[in-house]
Amino acid sequence: MIQLSDHFDYKRLLRFTLPSIVMMIFTSIYSVVDGFFVSNFAGKTPFAAVNFIFPVLMILGCVGFMFGTGGSALIAKTMGEGDRKRANDIFSLLVYGGAVSGVVLAAVGIVLMPKLAAMLGAEGELLANSIVYGRIVLCALPFYTLQMEFQCLFVTAEKPTLGLGVTVAAGVTNMALDALFVGALQWGLEGAAAATAVSQLVGGVAPLIYFGRENDSPLRLGKCRFDGRALLKTCTNGASELMSNMSMSVVSMLYNAQLMAKAGEDGVAAYGVLMYVSLVFQGIFIGYAVGMAPVVGYHYGAGNREELKNLLRRSALLIGGFSVLMCLAGETLGRPLSLLFVGYDPALLDMTVHAFAIFSIAFLFSGFAIFGSSFFTALNDGLTSALISFLRTLVFQCAAVLLFSALWGLNGIWWSIVAAEVMAVAVTLCFLVGKRKQYGYF
């Protein structure tokens, strides 16, 4: 079994992070499968509704990722310092805190869903579909919050493969129920939402059962005292991931608004296909970052600077390789992937394929900024991590889409994504160079 305290060469690094990579890909597939079945069995307007309301659901659910990433870094650092008992107390506190947060946010979201959808510009059938889909999915939000949190904590517990198994079980549940509810029973949008909700129930409850009983990992759920400092440190440290997910959702709303103005529902649908593919492709980068973070946090807590240098150097080379492969895959698979979702509409298909050719270039850059933000989170430098995420996912993208769409119309919207990622990489490099003496990673 690979432990956080080990020295990591390329083989060990890939073996340890691979479950997290696959785990994030499967998580991304949830919404992709919903989109596929809704688009092909329910039609273009319900498909647009899923894409339209999805950013709101992500904003409400991303608190689990904040607890998971911020808490994972703090727990790993505490383990590296040799205090296993406190690490276990923090783990229990964060799981309970994530569950409570999920319940509160679900209640608020269900009540406010009509106003939120209308405020974003939905009307008529698009508004009604958005409300139905959003409310059904929000019923499972507490479990989705826990699922997102445990995706990170399984790695810290040195059980990435078990975490992958839970995520695969949830993903298979979602796909099977989509085929049943939407494909066979023709329940349409409601069926897709129900399939997602049940899969999130599986993904949230299974880890609770594992960690609530005796197990062979260093972490177990149990009694804990309230630790305000640990909770605050977790939230500030995980703020970058919270900011990243929230900003991405806000930016998606802005893109949808610009696309509605430039190309109507077809533009929103085309952007939805790009986001589905982006979720899967960037899941590789996010999964690698999630798998790496506890290792970095452990060696930072143990004061092992040589291993930090080793991890950063090898990670940069691996991400560079992933980036080239994903860019080539995006350029090559643009038409086949577009056919899966919008093959029934030739005009929409042509728009989506054209957007793919531009959008795929962004994969050359996005992985470096994602890893850079996660690297600083693992070093418990939440401020730097949050700045990278804030600039990448909100400032650069909002500025680029508003400017580029005004100058070059619909093509400008697609190119704005690439421009934002290039600027994010430049900022990440500046922070890595500026902080090198403080942390000693090169």
Side-chain angles (χ1 to χ4, degrees), residues 19-334:
S20 297
I21 293 171
V22 179
M23 185 163 56
M24 283 297 172
I25 291 173
F26 258 86
T27 302
S28 303
I29 286 174
Y30 291 1
S31 55
V32 175
V33 172
D34 273 0
F36 170 79
F37 277 98
V38 170
S39 181
N40 286 280
F41 289 91
K44 185 164 63 177
T45 298
F47 178 56
V50 173
N51 298 324
F52 197 83
I53 205 63
F54 186 70
V56 176
L57 304 178
M58 287 299 295
I59 287 177
L60 295 175
C62 64
V63 66
F65 207 49
M66 177 190 72
F67 277 113
T69 54
S72 177
L74 181 59
I75 293 167
K77 179 175 178 290
T78 306
M79 290 166 63
E81 293 168 345
D83 194 345
R84 295 275 176 150
K85 182 182 184 306
R86 183 165 185 268
N88 209 64
D89 288 343
I90 295 172
F91 167 75
S92 299
L93 173 67
L94 298 182
V95 171
Y96 302 145
V100 172
S101 299
V103 171
V104 173
L105 290 172
V108 172
I110 289 171
V111 172
L112 297 181
M113 185 55 61
K115 291 184 178 179
L116 290 171
M119 184 177 66
L120 293 173
E123 298 177 345
E125 188 179 356
L126 181 64
L127 174 62
N129 285 334
S130 298
I131 294 170
V132 169
Y133 184 84
R135 280 181 162 170
I136 293 174
V137 172
L138 282 177
C139 291
L141 184 67
F143 303 104
Y144 181 64
T145 300
L146 286 173
Q147 180 182 351
M148 295 294 286
E149 186 174 355
F150 278 120
Q151 283 179 341
C152 303
L153 295 177
F154 265 120
V155 183
T156 312
E158 300 174 342
K159 294 292 181 180
T161 304
L162 183 58
L164 171 60
V166 171
T167 304
V168 169
V172 170
T173 299
N174 189 40
M175 289 184 279
L177 291 181
D178 265 325
L180 175 63
F181 294 165
V182 186
L185 298 178
Q186 298 289 305
W187 288 357
L189 193 71
E190 293 87 346
T196 297
V198 174
S199 72
Q200 291 171 354
L201 177 68
V202 172
V205 171
L208 285 176
I209 295 173
Y210 174 77
F211 285 110
R213 307 172 63 182
E214 288 285 349
N215 62 75
D216 59 353
S217 83
L219 300 175
R220 184 188 175 189
L221 277 174
K223 294 181 179 179
C224 64
R225 61 181 181 84
F226 181 79
D227 188 339
R229 290 184 62 186
L231 197 59
L232 179 62
K233 181 63 176 176
T234 295
C235 293
T236 54
N237 201 35
S240 58
E241 280 67 27
L242 177 67
M243 176 65 67
S244 179
N245 282 274
M246 290 183 67
S247 298
M248 286 170 62
S249 298
V250 171
V251 168
S252 293
M253 296 175 197
L254 178 60
Y255 271 83
N256 284 334
Q258 292 293 314
L259 287 163
M260 282 291 288
K262 302 290 183 184
E265 286 187 9
D266 278 6
V268 175
Y271 179 66
V273 176
L274 298 186
M275 289 302 98
Y276 286 147
V277 175
S278 179
L279 281 172
V280 175
F281 277 34
Q282 292 199 13
I284 296 174
F285 293 133
I286 296 171
Y288 181 83
V290 166
M292 273 289 299
V295 181
V296 173
Y298 183 95
H299 287 286
Y300 173 61
N304 190 350
R305 291 193 167 194
E306 286 302 314
E307 188 62 19
L308 289 181
K309 294 178 184 178
N310 170 62
L311 293 169
L312 180 60
R313 182 178 68 254
R314 294 183 189 275
S315 294
L317 291 173
L318 286 172
I319 289 171
F322 291 155
S323 299
V324 172
L325 289 174
M326 280 189 279
C327 178
L328 293 174
E331 297 290 348
T332 304
L333 300 175

